[in-house]
Amino acid sequence: MRPVIAYTASRFLLFAATAAILLLIGVTGLLNLALSVLISGIVSYVVLSKQRDAVSTAVVERTQRQGHGHGEGDGGAAPSAE
């Protein structure tokens, strides 16, 4: 669960830093919020790719440990549309 917390904290810090920088250059209100979400999302997509991969791996491993893999428990059959 540590990778999930680290990634979430990194995303939040990136958002806060972006909002602060925009505030320093004079962008306020709803425009600041919208630009902060957009800019920090784009930057995190590039900068945090390794952390995002670690989160994905951690989530998959945890799901498999709990026995919720694909097809388990239902015989792998999809429900019929009848």
Side-chain angles (χ1 to χ4, degrees), residues 3-82:
V4 174
I5 294 169
Y7 179 72
T8 302
S10 297
R11 286 288 308 261
F12 179 75
L13 289 173
L14 210 84
F15 171 78
T18 304
I21 291 168
L22 288 173
L23 215 84
L24 288 174
I25 62 173
V27 180
T28 60
L30 194 56
L31 182 60
N32 185 319
L33 178 65
L35 287 176
S36 296
V37 168
L38 181 67
I39 293 168
S40 68
I42 292 169
V43 171
S44 71
Y45 183 76
V46 175
V47 174
L48 301 178
S49 63
K50 288 182 183 179
Q51 282 187 328
R52 190 174 46 254
D53 291 341
V55 168
S56 176
T57 301
V59 169
V60 167
E61 287 174 355
R62 183 177 177 117
T63 302
Q64 288 175 347
R65 270 185 286 150
Q66 292 178 349
H68 294 109
H70 290 295
E72 288 184 22
D74 64 359
S80 64
E82 294 177 22

